[in-house]
Amino acid sequence: MRLLTHNYLQSNVKGTEKGYPLTIEPTKIEYEESPIDMEFVENILTKIDYSALLSARNQIEDRCHSDLGSDFIVPSLPEVMPKRYSDGNSKDDKIEEDETNQEAFLKSIHTILFDIHVLEGHLVCPDTGRRFNIKMGIPNMILHEDEI
Amino acid sequence: MTNNTDMEHHSEISHNRYNVLIEFAHIHLEFQRPELESVLSLHDIAIGRDCIEVPLPSSIPTVENYRPFLILSFDYHYAKEKFNLDDDGYVIQSDMSRFSKIDRTKPTIASVLSRCTLIRSAIELWGAGPSFDSCVEHARQLSSGCAGRITLENCMKLSSSWKITIHTLGTKFNREEQNDMRMKFAFFNLPGKVQMVNPTNEFLLIREVELDPKGTPLSQERDNFLSPPLAVYYGRVLGGIRDWRGNGRLDQFSLKKRSYLGPTSMDAELSLIMTNLGLVRNGSFCFDPFVGTGSILLTCGLRGGYCVGTDIDIRVLRGRSDEENVLSNFKQFRLNRPDLIRSDNALYHRHYRMNKPIYDVIVTDPPYGIRAGARKSGTKEEKIRAIPEDRRHDHIAQTKVYPVSDVMGDLLDVSARTLVMGGRLVYIIPSMRDFDVEKDLPNHECLEIAHVCYQPLQTELGRRVVVMKKVKEYDPSLRESYLSSVWINGPESAEKCANIRERLLEAAKLKPGYEEKAAYRKKRRQITREEKKKQRAKHV
């Protein structure tokens, strides 16, 4: 499960309206580098919930250190997303930061959204505490009969 | 000598324009034009706006059967700006790069068209006519047009070797006759040498004859005379390969070797066509809500898409083993892993936060109860039993039957909500030949039908691939209203697709001779059983 997918998942237990974002409790993580498509990353930035991404990043950090070796550093992210992406009008706005900062930011986003995979673990509903398991990288979001 | 009718044809294929003849394979007939239009639109080319379709020359006033040819005519300056017309060094590769590569900067025409699964070849048209002589005459006038002149000049290099291949669609000519045909075009006086293996330029002389619905040439002999051809074409092969679908070159052969296949796996060729119809390209965000063994999703990945698949069946998602599952298929083709989620498409809006549309393409083969029954969350039992705490972790939740009418309604609603504007939904629906495309297909206010293509499987039964485009923004407050207007004729339309096996059986029973055939088959089965019994008795 990539963090991009996590950004969209919510808990659907009956009666909860606050099932987002799910807390990640990873027990196994893998890193798989992929080529960066800058345009794609810029586009996707306008559609994600940035604060959920930040907390997800923090939740997986420790597991990344133990599973991916001390050489691997999870890129850090600014507290607030650069304005040009949050407004979704990135093409027309004046460039606020210099090019290198921007590129570095996009690279970090790419790594965190696409290249880190939670293979085993749980997603926990922040409201009800219901745990959804992740096995082989596949989150199991199906509720039991009495929860629908 | 040419007569007036011939001249009319000639004036339509003007040598002042850049003309391309496309030859299609004789398969998936209804898909050919939609696939071509879709692939052209990936390059922002529209027939009618950026090029025109020229009617095929014909020696018969009306041809009833399908002709697998199409002529596209481009304004020469447009063609020169848009394409790299100098493709004598370029040969289409059969490797994976062909799936996804879209060359934005001046691609060759062959590289644009080769993405179409159903195209056999494309030639730069030098001459065409309803007869052999009229084709030769037309070719003689090539250099009189501004486009034709440059086209010819480009082939006049001493270093360019060449040969002429003759394609007679099944009609046999002996070697002498073939050479005579070739000699008719000797007036071009190409300076380079003739080379049979891998020449710089291959010319193709096509003698078109009428084909029957199966693609077999109609008999060409009448009263011991050879019937005249339907049309004759002459031109230069684009892409360096005479037959893009030739043995081993068609990409689907490599797809057939994928490690994880199941009974419902989509045949490779249809997946390739569907992803073209969906306009999947590098960076497309692709989604399959009924991903199953991942055949269609794999094709999205091959075309450079970012892939997400969901399914309610955890067993199919996890596959048979570590080596045989959806993920291993992607690994086999060296693609980034897709994201898979076990979720229920009937509850999409509860599993996923949907504040902004994200998918570019949704492409899927929904379950119709023919080979794999559709399920959704919930139980058919009236009283729901609570699951004891210690069993919850591994409990496989019961699912109940998910009627086809709801499968389709939910699919369209999820698509309308999660597709970006202009994004495409491509799905398959099994149907009888006499299906009413206007009234029996599901609808949604936010989606417009772009194409419907029928693939016959048996005499009465086939599949339709439906392509829809998002044309209107989704209003969540109207969800109930959207869902209640999905079926113009009511949910019975959906049932038309759901119970096809039963309907086929009913239809067969009404046919004459059914009783006899059934009795005959029963007798044969009985004989086979008795044979087997005897065999077993012998071995005891």
Side-chain angles (χ1 to χ4, degrees):
Chain A
M1 181 199 72
R2 292 184 169 87
L3 262 56
L4 176 56
T5 298
H6 164 264
N7 204 265
Y8 282 93
L9 283 171
Q10 61 187 10
S11 161
N12 54 331
V13 176
K14 189 165 53 179
T16 179
E17 295 296 326
K18 293 175 272 172
Y20 180 87
L22 298 159
T23 309
I24 311 180
E25 288 177 5
T27 52
K28 185 168 170 211
I29 284 190
E30 208 172 77
Y31 171 71
E32 196 181 286
E33 197 173 339
S34 66
I36 303 181
D37 180 344
M38 289 294 185
E39 209 179 299
F40 189 67
V41 179
E42 285 189 324
N43 198 347
I44 216 80
L45 271 175
T46 62
K47 302 179 185 178
I48 59 167
D49 181 317
Y50 191 72
S51 65
L53 181 64
L54 275 184
S55 47
R57 180 222 168 269
N58 295 337
Q59 285 157 15
I60 57 155
E61 191 162 20
D62 287 342
R63 182 47 56 177
C64 283
H65 285 152
S66 51
D67 282 1
L68 304 178
S70 45
D71 290 342
F72 184 86
I73 301 175
V74 182
S76 56
L77 292 174
E79 279 303 307
V80 176
M81 183 158 61
K83 192 167 189 296
R84 58 185 278 155
Y85 301 115
S86 55
D87 283 347
N89 295 329
S90 43
K91 304 276 184 310
D92 304 323
D93 281 354
K94 284 191 301 240
I95 300 180
E96 292 174 359
E97 309 93 44
D98 62 86
E99 291 292 322
T100 30
N101 267 351
Q102 200 179 298
E103 200 181 300
F105 173 69
L106 290 177
K107 280 193 180 152
S108 304
I109 289 285
H110 171 90
T111 303
I112 294 172
L113 279 180
F114 293 103
D115 293 349
I116 298 176
H117 301 268
V118 179
L119 295 184
E120 315 274 330
H122 285 91
L123 296 170
V124 188
C125 173
D127 187 17
T128 62
R130 210 279 192 192
R131 301 165 74 76
F132 299 90
N133 72 19
I134 306 174
K135 261 195 211 169
M136 282 171 63
I138 304 172
N140 183 347
M141 307 307 293
I142 296 294
L143 298 172
H144 299 315
E145 296 86 332
D146 53 356
E147 296 168 299
I148 296 175
Chain B
M1 294 307 291
T2 55
N3 58 31
N4 281 335
T5 344
D6 284 359
M7 288 310 286
E8 274 161 21
H9 279 294
H10 291 177
S11 62
E12 284 169 23
I13 306 177
S14 160
H15 291 309
N16 288 320
R17 297 174 66 84
Y18 190 82
N19 304 303
V20 177
L21 172 74
I22 294 172
E23 183 189 5
F24 291 104
H26 201 283
I27 188 177
H28 294 312
L29 304 184
E30 288 197 17
F31 293 78
Q32 294 181 357
R33 291 203 55 142
E35 192 191 27
L36 174 63
E37 283 169 20
S38 301
V39 168
L40 288 176
S41 78
L42 283 169
H43 293 270
D44 199 27
I45 301 172
I47 302 179
R49 183 191 74 195
D50 307 299
C51 60
I52 56 177
E53 183 188 345
V54 178
L56 299 171
S58 179
S59 57
I60 306 174
T62 34
V63 183
E64 271 159 27
N65 283 304
Y66 184 76
R67 298 174 73 177
F69 292 97
L70 192 149
I71 300 176
L72 289 180
S73 178
F74 295 87
D75 170 81
Y76 184 68
H77 298 288
Y78 172 87
K80 205 156 158 56
E81 279 300 308
K82 185 84 181 174
F83 305 111
N84 171 10
L85 294 179
D86 179 25
D87 84 341
D88 60 344
Y90 173 82
V91 176
I92 294 177
Q93 300 301 318
S94 63
D95 69 342
M96 292 297 145
S97 63
R98 204 179 2 137
F99 286 114
S100 64
K101 196 169 168 155
I102 294 186
D103 208 337
R104 294 253 169 234
T105 53
K106 298 191 82 157
T108 61
I109 292 185
S111 67
V112 170
L113 294 177
S114 65
R115 211 174 125 139
C116 293
T117 329
L118 300 169
I119 292 184
R120 281 189 74 185
S121 46
I123 66 171
E124 183 181 78
L125 197 57
W126 285 27
S131 67
F132 196 86
D133 289 340
S134 58
C135 175
V136 173
E137 259 320 294
H138 192 228
R140 275 188 195 281
Q141 289 155 35
L142 180 68
S143 48
S144 67
C146 59
R149 185 172 41 83
I150 302 176
T151 297
L152 184 55
E153 270 168 25
N154 285 341
C155 288
M156 285 305 203
K157 293 180 213 141
L158 193 58
S159 54
S160 299
S161 55
W162 56 279
K163 73 166 178 175
I164 301 178
T165 303
I166 303 181
H167 174 38
T168 54
L169 280 86
T171 320
K172 297 232 183 302
F173 294 95
N174 63 38
R175 191 177 282 194
E176 202 184 309
E177 286 165 325
Q178 290 188 35
N179 277 334
D180 283 345
M181 290 193 238
R182 287 192 180 91
M183 284 314 292
K184 291 271 171 70
F185 294 92
F187 61 84
F188 282 120
N189 276 325
L190 298 178
K193 64 175 175 155
V194 175
Q195 184 173 303
M196 295 314 288
V197 181
N198 292 329
T200 322
N201 290 312
E202 180 178 358
F203 292 92
L204 193 54
L205 171 59
I206 302 176
R207 185 182 186 279
E208 186 192 359
V209 300
E210 197 175 342
L211 305 172
D212 73 9
K214 289 211 173 81
T216 314
L218 295 179
S219 167
Q220 294 303 301
E221 298 238 346
R222 238 155 259 162
D223 311 317
N224 267 333
F225 284 108
L226 183 64
S227 307
L230 201 45
V232 180
Y233 313 100
Y234 183 80
R236 188 175 69 92
V237 169
L238 296 173
I241 301 180
R242 153 72 183 91
D243 183 355
W244 297 349
R245 291 171 54 96
N247 217 352
R249 287 202 189 101
L250 179 54
D251 319 304
Q252 67 171 359
F253 288 112
S254 45
L255 282 179
K256 282 192 170 132
K257 296 191 198 125
R258 64 193 188 276
S259 57
Y260 181 44
L261 282 168
T264 54
S265 292
M266 175 54 45
D267 65 79
E269 181 154 46
L270 200 56
S271 297
L272 288 169
I273 297 171
M274 284 173 77
T275 48
N276 269 340
L277 293 172
L279 305 183
V280 176
R281 65 194 102 183
N282 275 351
S284 292
F285 199 144
C286 305
F287 174 51
D288 184 345
F290 305 103
V291 71
T293 55
S295 320
I296 301 179
L297 204 62
L298 180 64
T299 318
C300 292
L302 288 168
R303 297 217 188 274
Y306 168 67
C307 302
V308 175
T310 65
D311 205 292
I312 201 170
D313 188 348
I314 191 74
R315 291 161 298 184
V316 108
L317 283 175
R318 289 196 186 142
R320 291 193 198 102
S321 69
D322 278 343
E323 280 81 52
E324 269 185 75
N325 54 51
V326 182
L327 302 173
S328 64
N329 280 344
F330 273 72
K331 212 166 175 176
Q332 186 185 348
F333 290 91
R334 285 191 284 260
L335 298 170
N336 289 328
R337 72 165 64 219
D339 262 350
L340 302 175
I341 304 131
R342 183 185 182 217
S343 63
D344 181 352
N345 204 51
L347 300 174
Y348 186 95
H349 58 292
R350 284 175 59 187
H351 286 300
Y352 302 96
R353 186 177 63 89
M354 291 190 296
N355 56 327
K356 287 212 178 127
I358 45 167
Y359 302 121
D360 295 307
V361 189
I362 297 180
V363 54
T364 188
D365 179 14
Y368 284 99
I370 293 181
R371 279 184 298 188
R375 315 292 295 176
K376 67 184 214 177
S377 306
T379 175
K380 59 183 185 225
E381 288 177 66
E382 279 169 14
K383 191 154 187 260
I384 295 172
R385 287 176 286 137
I387 295 96
E389 269 311 309
D390 57 336
R391 295 261 181 86
R392 288 189 89 86
H393 185 73
D394 288 325
H395 177 73
I396 302 239
Q398 271 195 34
T399 52
K400 62 184 182 186
V401 170
Y402 187 16
V404 172
S405 52
D406 290 342
V407 170
M408 298 314 297
D410 289 339
L411 175 62
L412 262 66
D413 200 62
V414 168
S415 303
R417 192 156 181 178
T418 59
L419 278 172
V420 301
M421 271 309 256
R424 291 191 173 196
L425 163 66
V426 184
Y427 70 88
I428 299 186
I429 188 165
S431 45
M432 311 293 275
R433 189 183 278 279
D434 66 350
F435 189 76
D436 185 349
V437 161
E438 298 290 314
K439 303 224 184 79
D440 288 329
L441 282 177
N443 300 279
H444 198 289
E445 210 178 295
C446 304
L447 305 172
E448 192 179 82
I449 292 184
H451 301 290
V452 182
C453 308
Y454 180 71
Q455 180 200 14
L457 293 172
Q458 296 169 30
T459 331
E460 292 302 320
L461 172 68
R463 286 194 282 224
R464 285 184 162 81
V465 171
V466 180
V467 183
M468 299 184 93
K469 260 191 317 201
K470 178 165 172 175
V471 294
K472 193 168 170 195
E473 288 295 356
Y474 187 94
D475 180 353
S477 66
L478 295 178
R479 182 167 184 260
E480 286 308 313
S481 150
Y482 291 144
L483 286 174
S484 59
S485 4
V486 168
W487 302 99
I488 295 180
N489 280 347
E492 299 83 55
S493 299
E495 297 312 311
K496 278 190 187 180
C497 313
N499 300 323
I500 285 194
R501 187 185 283 141
E502 285 73 21
R503 295 188 62 212
L504 272 180
L505 197 54
E506 288 306 315
K509 282 186 183 160
L510 294 171
K511 285 198 178 133
Y514 174 79
E515 295 295 339
E516 289 156 17
K517 283 188 193 154
Y520 175 76
R521 281 198 293 266
K522 189 168 179 181
K523 196 148 177 140
R524 291 240 37 106
R525 282 198 293 271
Q526 207 169 3
I527 293 173
T528 319
R529 271 203 297 270
E530 277 157 19
E531 289 288 303
K532 282 194 179 152
K533 252 194 209 163
K534 283 188 199 151
Q535 293 293 329
R536 263 181 264 137
K538 270 191 200 160
H539 290 297
V540 161

